[in-house]
Amino acid sequence: MASSPLVFSAPFSSIPHRTSSTKTHLRQPFSLPLSSSRPKQSFSSVFPSKPLLLSRKLLLAPASVAEDKADTADSNLVVGEDSAVFDLQSQKISSWVYFTVILGVVLFALNVVWIDPSTGFGKDFVDAVSGISDSPEVVMLLLILIFAGVHSGLASFRDTGEKLIGERAFRVLFAGTSLPLALTTIVYFINHRYDGFQLWQLQNVPGLHQLLWLSNFISFYFLYPSTFNLLEVAAVDKPKLHLWETGIMRITRHPQLVGQVIWCLAHTIWIGNSVAVAASVGLIGHHLFGAWNGDRRLAKRYGEDFDLVKERTSIVPFAAILDGRQRLPKDFYKEFIRLPYLTITFLTLGAYFAHPLMQSASFNLHW
């Protein structure tokens, strides 16, 4: 990612990170200074467990104001990565040329292999699933279940897969199987969103459209934190399993889950039928599993560093901030004034105004 700040991003150095030269001050009973010749220690080895932190706070009084300030600084150390940093000067034109070429190839292959009725398997797949039941709610749930099984299943075997075929090849396999299934699920929802049983009708309620539009807009700030590095998504850069800790992660450790819940609630309230409810149940259930599975994978990869991040973050938005486990820096807002978040803003607005085009393209597929 970036190594130096741009206009859109706060300087990386302004956010405290654990380094080998970081001095961690422990409160000593008689305020004896630690030896400067001690071996280097990791952040997690200095603070091995939560009971130790509690015992220091309860039993050992601060020896000085300086040590109090040092302890406060240490509590804000970031062991994870600074998210959404984008440095224009560190970007290579060749990398973005590769990205454009790869994107074009993927879209072409997706059209030939899956979308085009004369050559693709997309319609055959939808017809096969639809043949299981005449209920659009059941078909909607089955499509989500198939996508979730493939998507989360491959994610669970990521470590093994990357060892066998490499990070880039596994990303191609992951995207190549997940993308057509995701597209099929989205198209089916668009084409059948008004099928099923009407449960309520609230579209004439004054101000509801504006409220739900705003909710949907906000949901995309939570939904796409994993796409901060598009070059990794396209396997131009070597894909990594990131331990993000700043920006949206301070609000919730699982922003995609929160974003999906907000999106589902907004669309279900507006549409108000059984198909929308079925889609929301399936999508939220998938993301609940994804949150558990994501924590499991991060704990396996990062160990004690993830335990520290987990301790000072929360799944419920703002919970860790309200109970004092997450201390926001004074310039917290700068973590959102960055190019990826601005890109999400423009893309979300573009997607809203492109809804008629999306609906027309979906109807033409007859899925």
Side-chain angles (χ1 to χ4, degrees), residues 12-299:
F12 189 82
S13 58
S14 66
I15 301 177
H17 277 257
R18 178 192 63 176
T19 63
S20 58
S21 60
T22 301
K23 295 181 179 179
T24 306
H25 299 272
L26 297 177
R27 296 172 182 165
Q28 303 297 316
F30 300 100
S31 188
L32 294 177
L34 296 176
S35 172
S36 60
S37 61
R38 63 178 182 176
K40 293 181 180 179
Q41 294 175 295
S42 67
F43 186 86
S44 44
S45 66
V46 175
F47 301 116
S49 63
K50 189 173 181 180
L52 177 59
L53 290 172
L54 294 175
S55 64
R56 289 197 303 111
K57 292 180 179 179
L58 293 173
L59 300 177
L60 303 178
S64 66
V65 174
E67 288 183 357
D68 254 349
K69 292 182 178 179
D71 285 340
T72 301
D74 291 340
S75 67
N76 288 329
L77 283 173
V78 176
V79 299
E81 296 180 62
D82 189 24
S83 63
V85 176
F86 186 88
D87 179 18
L88 186 60
Q89 295 179 353
S90 67
Q91 303 300 309
K92 296 180 180 179
I93 296 178
S94 59
S95 295
W96 289 102
V97 170
Y98 292 151
F99 172 82
T100 304
V101 171
I102 291 173
L103 179 62
V105 171
V106 168
L107 294 178
F108 176 79
L110 182 65
N111 180 66
V112 172
V113 176
W114 200 257
I115 298 176
D116 191 327
S118 62
T119 59
F121 297 95
K123 189 177 187 309
D124 294 334
F125 172 73
V126 174
D127 289 344
V129 177
S130 299
I132 298 175
S133 174
D134 293 331
S135 168
E137 296 88 352
V138 173
V139 175
M140 187 78 256
L141 285 171
L142 286 175
L143 289 174
I144 294 175
L145 181 62
I146 293 170
F147 165 75
V150 172
H151 186 79
S152 295
L154 286 175
S156 298
F157 290 102
R158 178 173 178 172
D159 289 343
T160 303
E162 288 181 343
K163 291 178 182 178
L164 292 175
I165 62 176
E167 292 90 341
R168 287 185 171 88
F170 186 82
R171 174 55 61 95
V172 172
L173 174 64
F174 181 80
T177 52
S178 298
L179 185 58
L181 295 176
L183 176 66
T184 303
T185 305
I186 294 170
V187 170
Y188 187 88
F189 174 76
I190 293 175
N191 288 349
H192 298 272
R193 68 192 185 281
Y194 289 119
D195 294 349
F197 301 99
Q198 196 67 34
L199 303 174
W200 57 80
Q201 183 62 259
L202 303 175
Q203 295 182 3
N204 294 325
V205 175
L208 182 63
H209 179 268
Q210 290 78 5
L211 175 62
L212 297 182
W213 185 93
L214 180 62
S215 300
N216 182 70
F217 181 82
I218 293 173
S219 73
F220 282 89
Y221 282 95
F222 290 88
L223 273 169
Y224 293 107
S226 62
T227 58
F228 282 148
N229 192 337
L230 291 177
L231 296 180
E232 285 188 27
V233 174
V236 176
D237 288 347
K238 184 179 292 187
K240 301 176 182 177
L241 180 63
H242 293 278
L243 180 63
W244 303 116
E245 196 180 353
T246 63
I248 203 74
M249 302 298 173
R250 297 185 187 273
I251 297 175
T252 171
R253 188 170 68 255
H254 289 291
Q256 287 177 301
L257 168 62
V258 173
Q260 190 66 75
V261 169
I262 296 174
W263 186 94
C264 286
L265 288 177
H267 283 76
T268 301
I269 291 172
W270 182 252
I271 297 172
N273 66 15
S274 54
V275 172
V277 171
S280 294
V281 169
L283 289 171
I284 293 174
H286 172 220
H287 280 75
L288 284 170
F289 173 80
W292 170 83
N293 196 32
D295 278 357
R296 180 188 66 82
R297 292 164 57 213
L298 287 171

Side-chain angles (χ1 to χ4, degrees), residues 115 117 123 187 191 357-367:
I115 298 176
K123 189 177 187 309
V187 170
N191 288 349
L357 296 176
M358 295 165 59
Q359 293 169 8
S360 176
S362 297
F363 294 152
N364 289 334
L365 291 176
H366 303 294
W367 290 359

